[in-house]
Every structure is written in structure tokens, then in C-alpha cells.
Amino acid sequence: MTEIAALKAGLLADIEKADTLERVEELRVGALGKQGVVTALLKTLGGLSPEERQTRGPAIHDLRQGVTDAIAMKKAALEQAALDARLASEKLDMTLPVDVVPEGSVHPVSQVMDELAEIFADLGFAVASGPEIEDDWHNFSALNIPETHPARAMHDTFYFGDNYKVTDKDGTPRAMLLRTHTSPVQIRTMTSTSAPIRIIAPGRVYRSDSDATHTPMFHQIEGLVIDKGIHLGHLKWTLETFLKAFFERDDIVLRLRPSYFPFTEPSVEVDVGYTLVNGQRVIGGSGDDDEGGWLEVLGSGMVHRRVIEACGLDPDEWQGFAFGTGVDRLAMLKYGMNDLRAFFDGDLRWLRHYGFSALDIPTLSGGVGA
Ligand code: PHE
């Protein structure tokens, strides 16, 4: 056996025995690397006589080819084996039973609040909030409901005891209470930010009242716009646009009725028309149609000059409108529930039925049209 044939046999045997990719690489460097034995032989070719080159040349090239091929094959075989081993160990058994993770659902009140925030965001309104434990200045006095005003009695207020009174900067004591409406957020926004203002304020409110349509805690959403040259037309357009987007219908008909709130002048109560479909009230259409009627959905009006003044703004320069509505009631009308108390019973069966998937981002089919 020639020296080259012996070298080849030895290298091929080593490659055959190699059982790791590292070992194969080590052998490759030893044979074909810069300082490798095969490389060294190839370098000698240049110095050979033509006759020697005739015989040794093909042998050396055959050696290089044989070693290169053997290394490539061994590498591929080892890689395949590694992959097979991984596939075998990482195999998933698709037939194994899966633990069902209990999934919560979004309460209709939260869902409706999200929908309202989305609709009003499209109209350029920011979301504002205020405390649920209020003082009687923000809840009543600043809203033009002085202490002796009969409207205070209308609200069935939960008061905190005298021990919880806070004292004003000027020494006047302020009674503390659970806010009876979201309107104090109007005051808090007007006194803490500068006009123009466009906000909605969703949140919990409290009144001492309980039957099928009243619970001691419920939810309202307040709207407030303060700007220059604002008039009743802006209010009507805003409410119409919002109710169309919320009920996802174009045939929403509003009826504005004169009303009274101490903090708006003029005050307007807003009814929305419904039609009877298979004996069910469905929002949409004129309530004056044969099968129709009107449902009161909102209280609203132009912000009273005295309220604007109480917040330190000049009512000759700034005007605005405000509205307030019950979130629970809107949810009942849109999603067809009829007992308000069920909203707060915490009955999981009710929630499973009326709740919304947490993974659905509230999107209203059309949004608020441009
Ligand atoms: N705060 C009033 C209520 O609770 C609703 C309302 C808000 C009316 C804003 C007019 C303007 O009944």
C-alpha cells in the first residue's frame, strides 16, 4: 500500500469512528485545514517533476476528495441522528386531555363603558374621573343646588356622619357624601383644566333607592363641552351621533322635551323612539308610529351661567352643554336585559350569558361616521 493510500485508509477509519460533530470538525481541520496533512501533500504538488506529478497527482486529489466526501457524509449522518433524537424526545401527544382553564367574561356595564369611551373618543372627547366620596360643594352647591334647594331632597343622598365633615380653605364645613350623580366631575374638570373642554366621565353613583329598576349603586356617564359659541344645536347633533353609533342604527329618532335641572338652562330631557318587533321594544324609528313609543334616555341642557361662574370662568365668553345618562339602562336597552338588580347579584350564570369575551376589543361596526 502506498503511503497515500495508507493515509487515506487511516483518515477514513477515523472519520467512520467519529461520534460527535466536534470530533468530525477536529478531523477536518487535521486533514484539510491550513496545517492539515492532506493540505500539506497538495502543497508538494508544485515542486514535483512532471513524471512524479503524473502518478502522485491523481492519488493526492483522490485522497482529498475521498476525505472531503467522508466528512460531509458523516456530518450529515450525525446531524440527522441529532434531529431524530430531538423529534423523539419532544414529541407531543395530541390525544392527551387538556385542562379547561376557567375563563372570565366582561360585565355588560364595563363593555358599554368601553363602547361609550370609543364613540366619544371619535368625537374628540377625553375621559375624566372624580371621587365617589364627594363633598356637598362639588355634588350640589357648585351645580347651583344651594343648601335649601328642594332638588337636594330629590337625590336620596347617602351622607357620611358629622365626624367626616371636611373644612374649606375659608373655614366652611363641607358635608361628605357618596356622589349622587357624575355631574360633580363637570365641576372638578372646569376648576382643574382650562377651557375649551370636551370630556365624558363614566362612573359609579349612589342613591338610597331599590326596586327592579333602581339599585343603591348604579352607573352614569356624564358629558361636558365648554367652548365659545356652543348652542343647543351642538348638543342635539352630539347626542344623535352618539346614540346612532351606540345602537348601531341610522334610524334613531330623538325627542327633546323641556325639563328642569338646576345646573342647566334650558334643560332638555331626551327620549329615543322605539318600535315593537314581536312584542319586544327595539330602539329605532319614530315613537309616534302606530307600534312605537318613546323611552327617556338622557338628561341634558346648556350649562347654567352660575355653574360656569362657580368654576371661575366668564359665562359671557364660555358656553357649553352637559348631559348625563345611566350606563346600566343603556346596557339593558341595547342587550335586552330587564332586571337591573341582576347586574349586581354576581350570579355567574347571568354573567356567562350576558358577559362579553375579554378578548374582543369593542368595535362598533361603523364607528362614528365622518
Ligand atoms: N345629573 C343629572 C341626573 O343625575 C343628569 C344630567 C347631567 C342632567 C347633565 C343635565 C346635565 O339626573
Side-chain angles (χ1 to χ4, degrees), residues 177-207:
L177 46 85
L178 292 175
R179 66 178 180 188
T180 57
H181 51 177
T182 42
S183 299
V185 186
Q186 289 187 35
I187 306 303
R188 291 194 174 269
T189 309
M190 278 191 270
T191 51
S192 66
T193 61
S194 49
I197 291 167
R198 264 191 270 182
I199 55 119
I200 53 162
R204 296 192 184 101
V205 300
Y206 302 83
R207 291 183 199 177

Side-chain angles (χ1 to χ4, degrees), residues 7-293:
L7 179 61
K8 185 179 173 186
L11 283 171
L12 293 186
D14 285 347
I15 293 167
E16 182 51 40
K17 271 188 284 178
D19 53 6
T20 65
L21 285 167
E22 291 74 37
R23 174 71 183 136
V24 174
E25 178 60 10
E26 199 181 297
L27 289 167
R28 188 193 64 79
V29 172
L32 304 168
K34 264 196 193 139
Q35 318 284 332
V37 284
V38 179
T39 310
L41 279 174
L42 281 163
K43 281 184 192 153
T44 64
L45 281 177
L48 296 180
S49 68
E51 300 81 50
E52 276 178 318
R53 205 178 297 155
Q54 285 258 319
T55 53
R56 283 179 69 91
I60 293 174
H61 282 297
D62 170 72
L63 167 67
R64 186 184 58 173
Q65 198 55 53
V67 171
T68 306
D69 290 350
I71 285 175
M73 275 169 61
K74 189 69 185 182
K75 225 176 128 186
L78 287 173
E79 278 167 357
Q80 183 63 47
L83 184 63
D84 287 347
R86 246 185 75 192
L87 287 176
S89 68
E90 288 178 4
K91 194 167 61 185
L92 295 176
D93 184 351
M94 296 301 189
T95 65
L96 278 176
V98 180
D99 285 343
V100 179
V101 184
E103 200 184 289
S105 59
V106 175
H107 195 286
V109 169
S110 305
Q111 168 76 16
V112 165
M113 282 184 175
D114 286 351
E115 290 177 12
L116 294 173
E118 188 181 335
I119 292 170
F120 280 103
D122 280 353
L123 297 175
F125 285 65
V127 174
S129 64
E132 288 168 33
I133 298 175
E134 262 299 3
D135 57 69
D136 66 352
W137 188 78
H138 285 94
N139 197 81
F140 291 128
S141 312
L143 287 160
N144 193 33
I145 317 177
E147 220 145 305
T148 51
H149 199 288
R152 286 213 183 190
M154 279 164 39
H155 275 209
D156 301 307
T157 312
F158 288 113
Y159 281 96
F160 286 80
D162 282 348
N163 290 346
Y164 295 94
K165 276 205 166 87
V166 294
T167 314
D168 249 358
K169 278 183 221 105
D170 64 9
T172 333
R174 288 187 183 177
M176 299 304 282
L177 46 85
L178 292 175
R179 66 178 180 188
T180 57
H181 51 177
T182 42
S183 299
V185 186
Q186 289 187 35
I187 306 303
R188 291 194 174 269
T189 309
M190 278 191 270
T191 51
S192 66
T193 61
S194 49
I197 291 167
R198 264 191 270 182
I199 55 119
I200 53 162
R204 296 192 184 101
V205 300
Y206 302 83
R207 291 183 199 177
S208 178
D209 207 353
S210 184
D211 59 38
T213 52
H214 297 89
T215 47
M217 187 281 296
F218 59 106
H219 300 85
Q220 281 190 339
I221 186 160
E222 194 81 9
L224 174 70
V225 168
I226 298 286
D227 208 331
K228 291 178 179 167
I230 296 293
H231 55 73
L232 212 56
H234 296 121
L235 169 65
K236 188 178 179 221
W237 181 87
T238 305
L239 295 181
E240 215 168 73
T241 305
F242 136 57
L243 290 167
K244 281 180 179 172
F246 179 71
F247 287 109
E248 300 176 51
R249 292 182 70 123
D250 279 333
D251 62 344
I252 297 289
V253 183
L254 298 189
R255 187 173 73 174
L256 273 54
R257 275 183 296 111
S259 181
Y260 174 74
F261 300 103
F263 34 92
T264 46
E265 183 58 37
S267 298
V268 179
E269 225 142 17
V270 181
D271 298 338
V272 61
Y274 68 82
T275 20
L276 282 183
V277 179
N278 303 326
Q280 291 274 348
R281 289 173 174 184
V282 174
I283 301 293
S286 166
D288 289 333
D289 289 347
D290 286 350
E291 290 284 85

